[in-house]
Amino acid sequence: MKHVTPLALAVAAALACGHTQAAGFADDASASLQLRNFYFNRDFRDPGAQSKAEEWAQGFIFKAESGYTEGFIGFGVDVYAGLGLKLDSDDQRAGSGLLPNSFGDEGKDSYSEATAAVKARMSNTVLKVGGLMPKLPVVSSGDSRLLPQSFTGASLSVSEIENLDIQAGQLREVNYRNSSNREDIRSTVGGASDRFNFLGGTYAFNSKNTTVGLWRAELQDVYGQNLINLIHNQPVGDWKLGANLAWFDTSDDGNQPLDIDNELTSVTLSAATGAHTFRLGYQYSDGDTAFPYLAETDPYVVNYVQILDFTRANEKSWQARYDINFASLGIPGLSAFTRYVSGDNFDVGGSEGSEWERDIDVSYTVQTGTFKNLAVRWRNAMVRSDATRDIDENRLILSYSFALK
C-alpha cells in the first residue's frame, strides 16, 4: 500500500463531504491570506568569520478551515500552504532563519510548503490527523520568522466537562520554519525522534480566575517531561494582578549522548491598569543539562525572549518588562513593550558565566481606510553574554492579512 499523505486524506474527506449534508462544512468555513515582508539584521559584535546575518524576504501564508458536516459525527478539513521568496541575501550574510540557507551559501530563491488535516467532531471532542500547529505548554509551534513551523501527527481535544480541557496527541514529523522538508523532531539539547507524545489538560475554577494544568510529554528515546502549571488573575480595584507558575521536571529517556536531567521553575507576576502592564519574571534551570524542548518551538518559560532563552544548566535569571497600549491614550492599534533579562550562575570554561538581553518591541496596525489591517512591527534586541557572541539585532516586519471567506 502506498504512503497516504495528509493532503490526500484532506482531499478524500472533502470529496466524501460532498455526498453528505455539508451545510456546516461550507457555511462555517474561513480562509485567509497573510503577506509577510521580513527584514532581519543580526550584527555580531565580536570578531569572527561572519560579521552579520542580514536578509530580506517575502512570505505568503494561506490558511483555510472548514466547518463540520451535519450529523452525530461531523467531518472537516484544515489546509495550510506557505511560500517564501528571497528578496536579498548573500553568501557572507546568510543564515538568518528566514530562508533555507546558511553562512557561505545563500541558497535558492524560493521555497514552499503545504499540509492539511482531516478532523472529526463529536459533541465537544475533536480529533485531527495530518498537519498541526499546536499551541500547548509542552509544545508550541514557532512563528518567529518568515513561515510558521508545522508538525505532522494526530491530536485529540476533549472539552466535555465544563472548565476542563484535555489534550492528547502524537507528533511524527516536523517542518522547520525555513525548510520544505519533513524530518524527525529534534531536541534543543541533542537527540531526535519520530515520536513526540503528549497528554495533559487544564481546569479552571474560582470564576475562571484560577487555572491549574498537568502535562506529560515524551520525545521518545530522548527525554520525558512533566509540567505543573498554576495561573491566577485577580482584579483589585482598577488593577488586574496576575501570577503564572510553571514547574518542569525533565529526565533522560534513551541512550542519547547527554544524560538529560533538569528541573526548571518559571514564575511571572503581572500588574495591569489602564494602558500599562508591569511584569516581573524569575527562572531557574536547575540540573546537569540545559532545559530541553523541541527545536524552534516556543517553550512555556518566562525568559524565553527574542534571542536567548536563559535555560543553561543551573542558570538563574530575572526579567523586568513594561507594556503600553496606546488605544486608551487615543492611538488605537499602537502598542509597545520593553524588557530586560539578566542571567548568571552557569558554567563557562570552569568559571561562573553571566549574560543579559534588552528588547524593545513596537507594533502598529492600521485601523481604517485603504490600508486597514496593515501591520508594522519593529523588534530591537541587544545581547551580551559570556557563552555566546555579542549581538545587536533588528527585525522589521510588515504584514497584511485579509479574509478570503
Side-chain angles (χ1 to χ4, degrees):
M1 180 177 178
K2 294 183 178 180
H3 179 66
V4 180
T5 66
L7 189 57
L9 286 172
V11 172
L15 292 173
C17 290
H19 299 286
T20 64
Q21 293 180 324
F25 182 90
D27 294 345
D28 297 331
S30 63
S32 65
L33 178 65
Q34 182 187 75
L35 310 182
R36 182 180 293 179
N37 189 278
F38 205 126
Y39 169 74
F40 183 104
N41 179 296
R42 176 174 288 181
D43 185 359
F44 299 104
R45 306 300 297 174
D46 292 340
Q50 184 177 14
S51 62
K52 64 179 178 179
E54 183 181 31
E55 295 184 299
W56 181 29
Q58 175 67 49
F60 300 85
I61 300 170
F62 171 78
K63 293 182 179 181
E65 297 183 3
S66 75
Y68 292 91
T69 59
E70 297 177 352
F72 181 68
I73 300 178
F75 295 93
V77 182
D78 294 342
V79 177
Y80 157 74
L83 171 65
L85 303 177
K86 177 174 63 181
L87 300 180
D88 180 66
S89 183
D90 183 85
D91 289 350
Q92 302 305 308
R93 296 184 282 107
S96 67
L98 295 181
L99 300 163
N101 59 21
S102 60
F103 175 59
D105 180 10
E106 69 175 82
K108 53 189 179 182
D109 292 335
S110 65
Y111 67 109
S112 61
E113 55 195 37
T115 189
V118 294
K119 56 187 180 181
R121 183 182 67 184
M122 183 176 66
S123 184
N124 291 318
T125 298
V126 176
L127 172 68
K128 292 186 179 182
V129 179
L132 305 173
M133 296 182 186
K135 294 294 183 182
L136 301 172
V138 288
V139 52
S140 180
S141 59
D143 191 16
S144 61
R145 292 296 194 273
L146 191 67
L147 300 180
Q149 178 189 43
S150 64
F151 294 86
T152 300
S155 69
L156 181 68
S157 173
V158 182
S159 302
E160 300 295 339
I161 300 175
E162 185 177 5
N163 297 330
L164 177 64
D165 179 44
I166 298 174
Q167 302 284 337
Q170 182 180 92
L171 307 179
R172 299 296 301 270
E173 293 179 313
V174 62
N175 179 197
Y176 288 111
R177 60 196 181 194
N178 61 341
S179 171
S180 297
N181 301 322
R182 297 202 166 269
E183 54 193 278
D184 285 350
I185 303 168
R186 301 194 307 267
S187 160
T188 54
V189 298
S193 176
D194 63 356
R195 282 172 174 78
F196 177 80
N197 304 306
F198 62 89
L199 172 65
T202 59
Y203 180 71
F205 59 98
N206 186 26
S207 300
K208 296 188 177 181
N209 287 330
T210 307
T211 302
V212 293
L214 295 174
W215 298 87
R216 171 67 180 178
E218 296 177 352
L219 184 59
Q220 185 171 293
D221 296 327
V222 181
Y223 69 78
Q225 188 171 82
N226 300 309
L227 166 62
I228 300 174
N229 187 210
L230 174 64
I231 303 172
H232 180 71
N233 294 293
Q234 184 65 52
V236 179
D238 293 335
W239 289 81
K240 184 177 181 180
L241 307 181
N244 188 327
L245 168 64
W247 180 76
F248 293 84
D249 181 18
T250 311
S251 58
D252 194 77
D253 183 42
N255 55 0
Q256 301 299 321
L258 286 175
D259 184 13
I260 298 172
D261 180 21
N262 182 277
E263 292 184 6
L264 186 140
T265 302
S266 172
V267 181
T268 310
L269 302 177
S270 63
T273 181
H276 313 282
T277 301
F278 305 88
R279 292 184 174 90
L280 290 175
Y282 170 75
Q283 184 174 295
Y284 180 31
S285 177
D286 181 18
D288 297 330
T289 59
F291 171 70
Y293 55 95
L294 304 189
E296 296 188 6
T297 61
D298 299 328
Y300 192 71
V301 298
V302 62
N303 288 340
Y304 173 79
V305 288
Q306 183 166 323
I307 297 175
L308 299 178
D309 59 17
F310 296 90
T311 60
R312 306 181 198 279
N314 297 316
E315 183 167 13
K316 297 179 180 180
S317 56
W318 295 86
Q319 177 183 158
R321 171 170 166 165
Y322 169 67
D323 292 62
I324 181 168
N325 187 331
F326 290 88
S328 60
L329 303 178
I331 312 178
L334 179 63
S335 62
F337 72 79
T338 184
R339 65 188 166 205
Y340 178 83
V341 188
S342 177
D344 59 21
N345 200 51
F346 57 90
D347 181 75
V348 179
S351 301
E352 181 177 311
S354 63
E355 58 189 356
W356 58 264
E357 177 171 337
R358 188 271 302 144
D359 299 332
I360 298 173
D361 197 307
V362 181
S363 301
Y364 178 68
T365 302
V366 178
Q367 303 294 294
T368 59
T370 304
F371 297 103
K372 182 180 179 180
N373 295 328
L374 175 66
V376 181
R377 186 179 186 184
W378 171 56
R379 308 188 69 189
N380 172 269
M382 179 183 291
V383 165
R384 299 294 182 265
S385 173
D386 294 330
T388 68
R389 301 175 68 184
D390 292 344
I391 295 171
D392 290 345
E393 182 179 281
N394 285 284
R395 307 179 189 184
L396 183 62
I397 308 160
L398 280 70
S399 60
Y400 180 69
S401 300
F402 54 93
L404 302 176
K405 184 182 185 304

